Amino acid sequence: MDVVQFLMYMSLCTICALSKPTEKKERVHHDPELSNKVHDDAQNFEYDHDAFLGAEEAKTFDQLTPEESKERLGMIVGKIDADKDGFVTEGELKAWIKKAQKKYIFDNVARQWHEFDLNQDDIISWDEYRNVTYGTYLDDPDPDDGFNYKQMMMRDERRFKMADKDGNHVASKEEFTAFLHPEEFDYMKDIVVLETMEDIDKNGDGVIDLEEYIGDMYSHDGDSEEPEWVKTEREQFVEFRDKNRDGKMDKEETKDWILPSDYDHAEAEARHLVYESDQNKDGKLTREEIVDKYDLFVGSQATDFGEALVRHDEF
């Protein structure tokens, strides 16, 4: 996030905080659906194509011949096989599917990478990030916009250090992705919870009470009558958020709220693809097993409804 984007984001946050929203602010992080297609293998494999490749990439395979699809799929298998043992496990397939679905995040990181990697050594240090993001703003003790840049920088530095998984004081591309998009990484979930609590916990007692919870979503602005959704959120807090009924949400309760344990679509799809393709039923897939079921994974001009069109052209 460059300085301009950063300030725009902060300005939007300020506007949201000072105005009365027509819809509640959403802090809950849900995994997106893998595809908007119906998952019905008896009809077609379009859902599986979107899940395995991502919806945009799946469209490119629809233009290929079966031979071209098999060739490209074979190359993809080598990327999925993370430990290079010649087999694709359910776990490796799940990781690949998650990556395909989060391609927009990785594209965003790629765009920003060169902006922060000032010396082009293919790693980003905290100093590089700080200098690009904050620059001379830290030299002004009383900025016109009223933002406390030193406080923001300290918060960023804390997150940067947590993203530095190997502790070598610089960020690889994966670690930089974890820094920019912490909600996407299991080892960063604690910082997502902490930052959320810091945003909402106005009295600084380390927990979120009912009024702080509501205040994060809705500003009364002098109105005596709350919208119906606000009343519903009050009930949600009492009945579901505050699990131990002590009148406030602690760290674990906040984590359950903003990072719910949803159904894992990627895990279910990986299990499905392995089940359908594992010819010798050893629980893992070879390159040959995957390519043999290429129509399930990627499709081509000769799969699904495209098959009828190809046959028609042959006549």
Side-chain angles (χ1 to χ4, degrees):
M1 183 181 294
D2 59 30
V3 174
V4 175
Q5 291 172 315
F6 177 79
L7 292 178
M8 288 178 64
Y9 170 77
M10 292 303 301
S11 298
L12 287 172
C13 290
T14 303
I15 292 170
C16 290
L18 296 178
S19 62
K20 182 166 61 178
T22 54
E23 297 181 358
K24 68 177 181 179
K25 183 191 299 182
E26 183 59 76
R27 286 193 178 270
V28 182
H29 300 278
H30 294 283
D31 280 341
E33 295 283 349
L34 301 182
S35 173
N36 60 8
K37 312 285 178 39
V38 176
H39 195 184
D40 182 3
D41 287 355
Q43 182 178 358
N44 59 58
F45 298 131
E46 290 182 357
Y47 178 98
D48 301 296
H49 300 165
D50 286 358
F52 181 70
L53 295 166
E56 290 304 312
E57 183 67 14
K59 293 177 184 177
T60 67
F61 275 82
D62 292 339
Q63 312 305 315
L64 303 178
T65 65
E67 291 71 23
E68 290 170 330
S69 283
K70 291 177 182 179
E71 182 179 358
R72 286 182 60 176
L73 177 58
M75 291 187 288
I76 289 174
V77 172
K79 298 177 181 179
I80 303 174
D81 179 17
D83 60 9
K84 306 304 177 186
D85 66 348
F87 297 97
V88 170
T89 64
E90 189 176 297
E92 288 172 330
L93 199 49
K94 173 185 171 181
W96 170 266
I97 292 170
K98 283 186 175 291
K99 184 175 181 179
Q101 298 309 311
K102 302 291 170 57
K103 185 177 183 296
Y104 68 95
I105 289 176
F106 295 104
D107 288 345
N108 170 260
V109 172
R111 284 192 297 270
Q112 297 195 52
W113 182 259
H114 298 293
E115 180 181 353
F116 292 104
D117 183 16
L118 299 178
N119 61 3
Q120 299 182 345
D121 60 353
D122 211 31
I123 52 177
I124 294 176
S125 68
W126 165 247
D127 286 342
E128 286 177 313
Y129 179 82
R130 180 191 59 198
N131 292 339
V132 172
T133 303
Y134 295 99
T136 59
Y137 288 94
L138 297 175
D139 298 329
D140 187 352
D142 187 24
D144 294 336
D145 52 36
F147 293 131
N148 187 331
Y149 290 101
K150 288 187 177 179
Q151 186 176 20
M152 294 176 188
M153 185 189 70
M154 290 173 62
R155 180 160 155 156
D156 271 355
E157 185 175 14
R158 181 182 63 189
R159 189 199 285 191
F160 192 94
K161 288 179 178 178
M162 182 169 284
D164 178 20
K165 198 171 185 179
D166 58 12
N168 66 349
H169 309 296
V170 293
S172 64
K173 190 161 288 187
E174 181 177 350
E175 290 169 335
F176 192 61
T177 304
F179 168 69
L180 293 178
H181 301 278
E183 69 282 355
E184 305 295 341
F185 293 79
D186 286 340
Y187 80 100
M188 294 292 290
K189 287 184 177 179
D190 283 347
I191 201 71
V192 176
V193 175
L194 178 59
E195 290 179 359
T196 301
M197 294 188 74
E198 289 175 343
D199 289 341
I200 303 175
D201 174 24
K202 300 304 182 184
N203 63 10
D205 63 353
V207 290
I208 299 173
D209 61 37
L210 175 57
E211 293 311 314
E212 288 171 333
Y213 174 79
I214 295 298
D216 181 60
M217 305 176 183
Y218 172 75
S219 173
H220 286 274
D221 199 24
D223 290 349
S224 58
E225 190 70 21
E226 290 182 340
E228 197 61 37
W229 68 263
V230 176
K231 297 177 182 177
T232 300
E233 282 298 334
R234 288 186 179 276
E235 295 171 1
Q236 290 283 319
F237 183 94
V238 173
E239 295 297 323
F240 301 106
R241 311 283 185 240
D242 177 20
K243 298 182 186 300
N244 62 5
R245 301 292 193 272
D246 65 351
K248 48 192 176 289
M249 285 196 300
D250 58 23
K251 178 182 175 181
E252 288 305 313
E253 290 167 331
T254 302
K255 184 176 183 179
D256 289 343
W257 166 44
I258 65 171
L259 298 168
S261 300
D262 289 339
Y263 174 75
D264 194 324
H265 298 279
E267 183 176 309
E269 179 64 10
R271 191 180 304 120
H272 167 67
L273 292 175
V274 170
Y275 176 81
E276 294 293 335
S277 310
D278 185 13
Q279 296 175 12
N280 62 2
K281 302 305 176 186
D282 63 351
K284 52 190 177 183
L285 302 179
T286 62
R287 180 185 182 279
E288 290 71 23
E289 286 175 322
I290 292 174
V291 173
D292 281 349
K293 293 284 289 187
Y294 81 97
D295 55 337
L296 170 66
F297 286 87
V298 297
S300 74
Q301 289 177 343
T303 60
D304 303 331
F305 300 112
E307 185 172 7
L309 297 176
V310 172
R311 288 177 177 174
H312 177 75
D313 288 342
E314 289 174 351
F315 290 101

